[in-house]
Amino acid sequence: MLKQRKMPGKELFEYAVIRWVPRVEREEFLNIGVVLYCRGQRFLDMQYHLPAEKLRSVFAAYDAEELERCVQAFQGICRGEQAGGPIAALPPAERFRWLTAKRSTIVQVSAVHPGLCADARDMLDHLLDTLVL
C-alpha cells in the first residue's frame, strides 16, 4: 500500500457544494454554499449565499423563509449547535458525513471532493467565491 505524502504545511480537507434544488423531480439546482471538513485543523464549517433575485429567476415561486430555515438547520448541525439536535452533538467527522449523505430534499450536496490547504477557513472562503458567488 502506498503511503500518501503530504505537502509541507498543508492538510488534507474535504468539501462539498451545497445546492438548492427547488423542484427535486427536475434535478435542476443552483449552488448556494460550501461545507468543508479538515480533520488535521479540527475544522468543520460552511458558508452560504442566498441571492433573492437569482433564486427567483430559477424558480419564481420559491419560499425564501423555508430555504433560509433549511440552510440554517444545516449550518446548526455543521457547527455543532445545540439547536441542531442530536446529530449536532456528533463528532465533526460524523456530522460532515451525515451532512454530505445523499438525500432528496430542496437542500442537497455535491459529491465530496478532497484537496490540500494551509488554512481551512481561507480555503472555505476561496471555494465559496469560486463555486457559489
Side-chain angles (χ1 to χ4, degrees), residues 15-125:
Y15 76 94
V17 178
I18 303 166
R19 298 170 170 168
W20 172 58
V21 185
R23 294 185 359 194
V24 176
E25 69 278 7
R26 290 183 59 130
E27 298 185 11
E28 297 170 339
F29 63 86
L30 189 64
N31 293 345
I32 59 169
V34 178
V35 58
L36 186 143
Y37 172 61
C38 181
R39 180 177 161 221
Q41 295 179 24
R42 294 188 169 129
F43 181 90
L44 174 61
D45 204 0
M46 59 89 69
Q47 291 186 22
Y48 67 95
H49 180 66
L50 303 176
E53 284 187 33
K54 189 173 184 181
L55 297 169
R56 200 169 291 111
S57 73
V58 172
F59 186 63
Y62 95 99
D63 185 336
E65 291 176 8
E66 177 189 22
L67 179 57
E68 184 73 36
R69 277 191 307 273
C70 289
V71 174
Q72 287 180 351
F74 188 103
Q75 186 174 54
I77 291 167
C78 180
R79 294 182 174 169
E81 297 170 357
Q82 188 174 5
I87 296 183
L90 294 172
E94 291 180 46
R95 290 196 315 267
F96 180 73
R97 299 290 171 241
W98 188 88
L99 289 167
T100 57
K102 291 285 182 195
R103 54 184 52 90
S104 180
T105 65
I106 66 165
V107 175
Q108 298 180 12
V109 295
S110 69
V112 174
H113 306 283
L116 293 172
C117 69
D119 184 289
R121 171 69 55 205
D122 287 346
M123 181 55 68
L124 180 59
D125 292 341

